[in-house]
Amino acid sequence: MTVSNEKTLGQAPQQTAPRHDVKVITALRRFAISISVLNILGYTLLGFEQPWLWPLIALAAAYTVEIGLEAVSARVDGRQARFLGGGPKGLMEFLFPAHITGLAVNMLTYVNDHVWVMIFGVVVAVGTKWVLRAPVRGRMRHYMNPSNFGIAVILVLFPWASIAPPYQFTEYLYGPADWVLPAIIIVLGTMLNAKLTGRMWLIAAWVGGFAAQAVIRGLLFGTSIPAALGMMTGTAFVLFTNYMITDPGTSPSRRGSQIAFGGSVAAMYGVITALHIAYGLFFATALVCLIRGIFLWVLDYLGKRSIPLPKQPFAEPAHTSHASAMGTTTLNGAAPSGQKEAANA
């Protein structure tokens, strides 16, 4: 018996922790840097109205939940935690998503002086990645946009809470500066999404769909079309378009799926707004993410049902072993059709 066979029959080696793709890590790093710089500018130059200590509290809550749940998940799966083994750099890369989520939830919500509500939103946003999951490419992945979901939950459970006033992004800017900031966000966001996340088709479908629903609502319900279209010029809309809806972890990658996703969020927003429900951007994104998650589970279920059951072995002659081996290879090697579709959903 060889050494490798002894290891196989003995204690199984610890599984390798799943890692992000290099391009994804680069995108997350730039997302994290961008939102950090925006928060620094927001509290010093722009006019953010949340207490200055709250971003630090949000980060502490996000880091704690992310590390704690990853430790539990690694223990259950029998693998090494993703924040271990990579040194300070590996820990920092692991915390990029939590960093973005914590700052985004605090930056985009206004809960007066109820800091525990903000912390609750951060905990929900980070924790949902371990609860709302669906099978994608043979792995369980979260499908609900974390920051968006945390904000939506706050708005539903605490009716007195609201989103941060959009004017806070340009409250202390005057003249050309009112246009310079959105222009910078558009340029940087476009470069990021074009080169790293590959979500330009999603952005195009979302922006085009948003303009279409504004015109349709004006024709059907008599609402002001210029006012509905004017929302697209605000800094909040630009941020949502470039940094929220394009989350690479919870949006599809194929061109057709991106167009369907972006167009669906725009259409859902139009329906929600026509029903006179406020904060349609966040609710529309949450609902479309939920529908996509259900779709992924359905594809996985159909894929498992399409696998033929192995035949019960009878007294098999020795000379048929080669054919049997080929059949087993075909059965185990072929990917179910549902899994192939889920990989592109």
Side-chain angles (χ1 to χ4, degrees), residues 20 24 28 97 101 125 128-129 132-134 136 141-149 197 199 202 243-253 257-258 261-262 265 285-286 288-293 296 345:
H20 285 303
V24 174
L28 289 172
T101 300
T128 189
K129 295 192 297 182
L132 299 179
R133 307 175 110 189
V136 179
R141 297 183 57 181
H142 66 285
Y143 56 83
M144 189 66 73
N145 187 303
S147 304
N148 184 89
F149 185 70
T197 68
R199 296 302 190 269
L202 192 156
Y243 293 97
M244 179 72 79
I245 196 174
T246 57
D247 175 28
T250 56
S251 60
S253 56
S257 300
Q258 286 188 40
F261 186 88
V265 175
T285 304
V288 172
C289 285
L290 176 62
I291 293 171
R292 178 171 177 264
L296 292 173

Side-chain angles (χ1 to χ4, degrees), residues 111 133 145 165 169 179 284 295 329:
V111 292
R133 307 175 110 189
N145 187 303
F169 294 100
W179 294 90
F295 175 69
T329 302

Side-chain angles (χ1 to χ4, degrees), residues 20-42:
H20 285 303
D21 180 78
V22 175
K23 186 176 282 190
V24 174
I25 293 177
T26 303
L28 289 172
R29 180 187 301 113
R30 295 186 181 179
F31 269 116
I33 293 174
S34 298
I35 197 170
S36 299
V37 171
L38 180 60
N39 269 264
I40 293 173
L41 294 177

Side-chain angles (χ1 to χ4, degrees), residues 272-295:
I272 291 175
T273 305
L275 295 174
H276 305 289
I277 299 175
Y279 314 124
L281 287 180
F282 301 100
F283 293 142
T285 304
L287 288 173
V288 172
C289 285
L290 176 62
I291 293 171
R292 178 171 177 264
I294 296 173
F295 175 69

